[in-house]
Amino acid sequence: MSFTSITFWSFFVLVFAIYRIVPFRIQNRLLLVASQIFYGWWDWRFLGLLWITIISDYLIGKALHGTRDKIARKRLMTLSLFVNLGILATFKYANFFSAEASDLLDWLGINHSVSILEIVLPIGISFYTFQSLSYVIDIYRKQLDPVNDLGDYALFVSFFPQLVAGPIERASRLLPQVTRPREALNTISFRDGLYLVLFGLFMKLVIADNLATIVDYCFSLAPDQMGRLDVLLGAYAFTFQIYGDFYGYSCIAQGLALWMGFKLMFNFRTPFFSGSVSEFWQRWHISLSSWLRDYVYYSFGGARSRWKPYRNLLVTMALAGLWHGANWTFVLWGSFFGVCMAIERLYQTIQGTRKASGHLWNAFKIFCTFHIIVFSMMIFRSQSLDQLVSFIQTLKVGGSANQNVLLYGSSLLAALCVPLLIYETWQYRSNDPLVLMKANWRLRVIFLLVMVLSLFFFRASSTVEFIYFQF
Amino acid sequence: MAQGIVRLIKGNEEARVISVVLGTLILLEFALSFSLSSLSIDHSHIMSMREVGDSMRLDSRPKILVLGNSQARRGIDKDILSRKLREEFGTEFAFYQFVPDGGTISDWRFGWDKFFSDGRLGNSSIVLICGGSGHLDDRAADPKQIGSNYVGAIDLLPVMFEEFSTTENRLQLVASWASLCYSNGFRVQRRLRETLFPRYRLAAQAINEQSKKTSRQRNGNETKEEGLEQLSRFVGARTNEGLRVVVINTPNFLPYSPPVDIDTIISDAGGSYFDFRYVKEIDDSCFIDPYGTDPFHLNDRGAAIFTSRLAQLLAVEQKANGRE
């Protein structure tokens, strides 16, 4: 059940109608049942895995809280890591590692019987695993008390608006909203929720899905047919496609949750206005980057020492890449950011307190960072390292496969993204993603009408699955 | 109550915003219901079929009904066909067309039930089913098309459950039946894109071709897997009604490759199949229109060649079946 399907909206209307009239405890049970239906709609067998995570982390959380013995606590923490990362490794990475092992043995000329596994990837596994894991780590670090009710914990892990593609919420933020009665729907939360849902649908169906056709075309051309302009068009279009796709999902999740009294975090904050790669990661997929910062980067020692921060940055970002998928291109993508961030850190260390400033310099930094991101998206979109190499080689060659597609694609990209960037400039300058809600009512009407009418009359002819479902 | 609503809208800014947006959508729905026929030739063509079907009943001449899509609409020259058949048979044929854009076997099936059933054609008629790439095969019905054009309140429920197997498609059918904005958004969209982006059609075709190529590479086979069950059932039902059915694979910019045994399937159902994909005289130049914007349909010269060949074939076909 995707957010873009009528099935989902019929389901939501039904759930929401019942939710509004039942008391708080029943609301939680209703949301839990609804979340299981929502997830089971894809494949009911994946519910088993979800519940292994839920039950094991719930019990481990309880046990951690109940013991002061350091060794026992370490063992319990290790057990949780083993269960969660074991499930993730089996279902997400086993195919990849068995294929790589087989290739390596073939290359070494060693006879082997490594069979390549064909395991189906359960949807949203990386999201709910990380969310559940953060709960156990927080209890281990004594930053959180465990929840007493399994149902409440299950709802925290499987809350349907953010179950399959985030934002990855922290227990300290979401669990209190689960366990305590929530604010009833009021005019402001209805208004903000509606804006977020409409904007999310607009980002997905109008921006991302329209650009998807151009991206698929550019990146499916054979190397001998492709020209430099095709690669460039593909890379720029994909940068906005993935942004629209993922930001769209996050906005819809936030809007739906808001209607039900939950406040989810903003997962994106005008990321293309970042003046550095480090800043980009504070504005892009914030729930993952902050998770990695708190649970991986800091666990390795963070920035405490002279040279270790560089290693920690590289390792954390390579893991961020690997989190996205079992492919070397993702590892390279993450590592590329790690290297960029390490260079930035080194530059800042050398520069010390002397800092250039001014509008022109800031604009230049934003321009450069944006193009680093566009290049990184080429790595992300490549299906293999060979394909990436061919894209880079093609950048040296001029021309384009098809002038019509190039003209149409670039004008579509401009028509969709220039207005978006103008709107985001407003958000960026006011540092408020909901700045529109504070504007004059006439302006709000115009914006809402543009979104609604575009959804009817300018959405892509075919809907593409959300990209982050595969992670 | 009305006064209460007005007070709420005046006093509450949020209510005002929502009511203006909702009001605009309702207005748009009304505006579309009045203007859709003038906005879309295709929609007006489908809507005019009820009258056409009724006038058929009064027409005593032998009839030819073409079920097709835009390729048949552009590719069959009505005057040439009528003249050639008159020369051949010495009698005037009445010529009718049901050729919605992108029409598929589902459109023809639903269109038939709605506009042409109940013996409107009479025994002496020929039904020409003309299709191109992907129009003849068992493609799943499009809920938007069916909901918007062919289904009424009474038959909505049966169609929902008999024709569609997924919840999503069933709900899309209901939404399309209920809202013109929803079901016809793509018509407005196409107009909009063609206006805003002059190269849109050509680019879309190149993108489609590339996407087909990629999916063929990924799936590793070039033969079509779809069957012709719907088509053969449709042909069988029409022949049982006493109609002569001829299935034509039209000349196409991207020729359609049907299953190899298509002629056996059609003849088993009582019809005849003719392959016009590779007519000698129809070359690439027959697909270039004077404005250079539409390389996907036959131009006037191509239509003249195709129609002449079609008339020849129909004459032979009719004579072979003893209908001189």
Side-chain angles (χ1 to χ4, degrees):
Chain A
M1 231 190 295
S2 169
F3 283 172
T4 53
S5 68
I6 307 184
T7 312
F8 171 77
W9 289 102
S10 312
F11 163 81
F12 180 74
V13 167
L14 185 70
V15 171
F16 187 59
I18 305 171
Y19 180 84
R20 293 268 292 146
I21 52 171
V22 294
F24 167 66
R25 290 311 309 175
I26 310 281
Q27 280 185 339
N28 277 6
R29 296 294 176 259
L30 172 75
L31 288 183
L32 180 60
V33 173
S35 299
Q36 307 315 301
I37 296 171
F38 174 80
Y39 194 63
W41 202 269
W42 272 286
D43 193 333
W44 60 269
R45 290 169 302 178
F46 295 155
L47 281 171
L49 275 182
L50 177 67
W51 276 89
I52 291 174
T53 304
I54 290 170
I55 292 171
S56 63
D57 284 343
Y58 172 75
L59 294 175
I60 291 170
K62 282 255 181 208
L64 269 173
H65 190 65
T67 178
R68 288 183 178 186
D69 179 6
K70 276 190 174 175
I71 296 171
R73 288 174 66 80
K74 264 197 176 157
R75 281 185 182 155
L76 284 166
M77 188 63 243
T78 312
L79 178 66
S80 174
L81 286 172
F82 181 77
V83 173
N84 283 296
L85 300 181
I87 291 174
L88 201 58
T90 309
F91 285 87
K92 190 161 178 171
Y93 301 107
N95 290 347
F96 171 67
F97 285 118
S98 62
E100 290 301 313
S102 169
D103 285 351
L104 181 69
L105 292 172
D106 284 342
W107 185 70
L108 292 172
I110 299 169
N111 277 335
H112 64 86
S113 57
V114 177
S115 53
I116 294 170
L117 303 167
E118 287 297 333
I119 300 173
V120 181
L121 177 68
I123 193 162
I125 189 168
S126 309
F127 288 93
Y128 72 71
T129 303
F130 270 37
Q131 183 154 315
S132 189
L133 202 51
S134 75
Y135 166 80
V136 181
I137 299 173
D138 284 352
I139 296 174
Y140 176 72
R141 289 177 174 175
K142 296 184 179 168
Q143 291 167 347
L144 184 78
D145 286 338
V147 68
N148 287 319
D149 186 277
L150 176 63
D152 284 350
Y153 183 67
L155 179 57
F156 158 70
V157 178
S158 63
F159 182 45
F160 72 86
Q162 43 96 240
L163 171 60
V164 291
I168 305 167
E169 284 291 341
R170 301 299 176 76
S172 57
R173 193 182 143 87
L174 188 58
L175 260 178
Q177 300 185 55
V178 171
T179 53
R180 285 180 215 142
R182 293 168 288 273
E183 220 176 90
L185 183 71
N186 57 38
T187 317
I188 300 299
S189 50
F190 175 76
R191 177 197 73 180
D192 292 353
L194 181 69
Y195 162 75
L196 286 165
V197 166
L198 284 177
F199 186 67
L201 288 171
F202 173 82
M203 289 295 280
K204 166 66 181 157
L205 296 173
V206 179
I207 295 203
D209 288 358
N210 270 310
L211 293 177
T213 49
I214 304 295
V215 173
D216 291 346
Y217 169 84
C218 292
F219 288 134
S220 67
L221 291 169
D224 56 330
Q225 289 179 326
M226 200 187 284
R228 177 194 297 150
L229 296 175
D230 296 311
V231 177
L232 287 175
L233 176 64
Y236 282 105
F238 181 66
T239 305
F240 283 96
Q241 184 205 343
I242 194 164
Y243 178 51
D245 195 284
F246 195 18
Y247 184 29
Y249 185 93
S250 302
C251 282
I252 300 168
Q254 259 186 309
L256 295 173
L258 197 58
W259 280 339
M260 293 186 286
F262 292 88
K263 284 189 175 120
L264 301 184
M265 68 188 296
F266 275 97
N267 217 3
F268 293 85
R269 276 182 182 268
T270 53
F272 298 144
F273 290 80
S274 308
S276 67
V277 171
S278 311
E279 190 187 344
F280 171 73
W281 275 100
Q282 288 160 27
R283 292 173 172 276
W284 175 276
H285 201 172
I286 301 166
S287 63
L288 175 71
S289 55
S290 59
W291 196 101
L292 290 166
R293 180 198 61 207
D294 293 348
Y295 299 114
V296 180
Y297 181 69
Y298 288 161
S299 298
F300 284 132
R304 285 175 300 181
S305 79
R306 192 168 175 194
W307 296 110
K308 276 187 183 167
Y310 297 99
R311 180 205 66 185
N312 297 345
L313 273 175
L314 285 171
V315 172
T316 307
M317 292 315 292
L319 285 174
L322 192 63
W323 176 90
H324 282 82
N327 195 331
W328 289 117
T329 52
F330 291 126
V331 179
L332 182 66
W333 178 72
S335 307
F336 169 76
F337 277 119
V339 171
C340 290
M341 286 157 93
I343 293 169
E344 275 175 11
R345 191 182 169 82
L346 188 67
Y347 174 72
Q348 279 164 1
T349 314
I350 296 165
Q351 202 188 24
T353 49
R354 287 176 294 123
K355 275 187 182 170
S357 59
H359 290 310
L360 210 60
W361 173 243
N362 284 340
F364 176 72
K365 283 199 300 183
I366 290 171
F367 179 83
C368 293
T369 309
F370 176 72
H371 284 87
I372 291 172
I373 295 160
V374 172
F375 178 75
S376 80
M377 290 305 171
M378 211 163 76
I379 307 176
F380 191 94
R381 182 59 174 73
S382 304
Q383 265 144 23
S384 64
L385 293 176
D386 290 343
Q387 195 183 29
L388 176 65
V389 171
S390 78
F391 288 155
I392 294 169
Q393 281 171 344
T394 310
L395 282 174
K396 294 178 204 158
V397 189
S400 158
N402 187 311
Q403 290 298 318
N404 294 319
V405 179
L406 188 70
L407 272 168
Y408 167 66
S410 46
S411 43
L412 180 72
L413 184 67
L416 293 172
C417 301
V418 170
L420 176 72
L421 288 175
I422 292 170
Y423 174 57
E424 289 211 336
T425 308
W426 185 26
Q427 288 180 319
Y428 172 71
R429 290 174 75 105
S430 60
N431 195 23
D432 182 2
L434 293 173
V435 63
L436 178 66
M437 296 298 103
K438 283 148 196 129
N440 179 291
W441 74 273
R442 289 183 186 85
L443 191 63
R444 269 158 39 211
V445 166
I446 293 170
F447 264 85
L448 289 182
L449 275 177
V450 167
M451 287 193 279
V452 173
L453 295 182
S454 307
L455 285 170
F456 277 118
F457 304 120
F458 210 78
R459 60 182 288 181
S461 49
S462 56
T463 308
V464 183
E465 194 66 285
F466 283 97
I467 296 173
Y468 267 70
F469 278 8
Q470 59 183 300
F471 307 139
Chain B
M1 191 188 161
Q3 277 182 335
I5 294 172
V6 171
R7 248 201 317 272
L8 178 74
I9 292 171
K10 277 188 174 170
N12 186 327
E13 209 171 69
E14 306 315 324
R16 206 181 306 156
V17 172
I18 301 288
S19 53
V20 172
V21 173
L22 283 179
T24 311
L25 282 180
I26 293 166
L27 274 178
L28 201 67
E29 194 68 32
F30 275 112
L32 260 188
S33 70
F34 289 116
S35 63
L36 195 59
S37 292
S38 54
L39 264 179
S40 160
I41 302 165
D42 191 41
H43 186 262
S44 79
H45 171 70
I46 297 171
M47 291 303 120
S48 70
M49 279 300 120
R50 192 175 285 282
E51 276 176 38
V52 171
D54 290 340
S55 64
M56 272 181 174
R57 207 193 291 273
L58 306 170
D59 197 336
S60 56
R61 292 172 296 174
K63 303 174 194 79
I64 294 178
L65 171 65
V66 177
L67 300 179
N69 47 56
S70 58
Q71 268 140 10
R73 187 172 65 228
R74 304 270 189 90
I76 298 176
D77 187 319
K78 192 177 159 182
D79 297 333
I80 296 176
L81 190 63
S82 302
R83 196 183 66 237
K84 294 255 177 190
L85 290 175
R86 194 173 50 238
E87 283 166 13
E88 202 66 45
F89 295 102
T91 177
E92 192 75 35
F93 275 78
F95 184 82
Y96 297 99
Q97 277 183 308
F98 177 55
V99 283
D101 270 345
T104 63
I105 184 69
S106 313
D107 288 83
W108 305 331
R109 214 155 39 82
F110 277 92
W112 184 276
D113 290 342
K114 187 162 174 155
F115 308 123
F116 310 114
S117 55
D118 307 329
R120 282 182 172 99
L121 265 81
N123 277 347
S124 57
S125 304
I126 310 163
V127 180
L128 268 180
I129 302 173
C130 299
S133 47
H135 298 117
L136 300 173
D137 53 29
D138 281 344
R139 190 165 288 197
D142 176 5
K144 285 190 179 177
Q145 191 77 353
I146 306 299
S148 165
N149 296 323
Y150 308 113
V151 172
I154 300 163
D155 43 358
L156 186 66
L157 267 182
V159 170
M160 203 170 148
F161 290 99
E162 283 163 21
E163 286 290 327
F164 300 100
S165 57
T166 64
T167 314
E168 184 63 17
N169 281 346
R170 286 172 185 159
L171 292 170
Q172 279 187 5
L173 178 84
V174 177
S176 309
W177 171 77
S179 164
L180 283 173
C181 282
Y182 176 76
S183 58
N184 288 283
F186 73 98
R187 294 184 201 279
V188 182
Q189 183 187 112
R190 204 161 49 196
R191 282 281 184 99
L192 208 61
R193 278 178 202 258
E194 280 169 2
T195 314
L196 290 174
F197 310 111
R199 304 280 184 105
Y200 165 65
R201 271 180 82 97
L202 296 165
Q205 190 60 34
I207 291 169
N208 277 346
E209 266 179 71
Q210 180 62 25
S211 131
K212 277 184 194 164
K213 207 189 287 177
T214 315
S215 89
R216 270 201 299 266
Q217 275 166 2
R218 204 170 289 156
N219 299 332
N221 69 51
E222 296 221 9
T223 52
K224 273 200 165 293
E225 291 300 323
E226 289 109 337
L228 291 167
E229 203 189 318
Q230 287 192 47
L231 181 64
S232 68
R233 250 191 287 142
F234 183 79
V235 172
R238 302 296 78 83
T239 26
N240 286 341
E241 289 166 19
L243 300 168
R244 179 89 203 119
V245 183
V246 179
V247 178
I248 310 283
N249 195 348
T250 50
N252 208 315
F253 186 73
L254 294 168
Y256 163 66
S257 308
V260 280
D261 53 348
I262 184 169
D263 44 0
T264 320
I265 294 171
I266 302 300
S267 63
D268 286 351
S272 321
Y273 171 74
F274 296 99
D275 191 348
F276 277 79
R277 280 177 299 167
Y278 304 111
V279 173
K280 234 182 197 176
E281 302 92 318
I282 297 178
D283 53 18
D284 284 354
S285 67
C286 293
F287 288 96
I288 298 167
D289 77 332
Y291 308 103
T293 54
D294 179 10
F296 315 115
H297 297 100
L298 286 171
N299 56 22
D300 291 347
R301 192 172 77 82
I305 298 168
F306 173 53
T307 312
S308 306
R309 295 291 302 270
L310 187 63
Q312 266 174 12
L313 178 132
L314 285 177
V316 174
E317 168 69 10
Q318 286 293 87
K319 282 173 187 165
N321 285 284
R323 295 193 184 203
E324 277 176 271

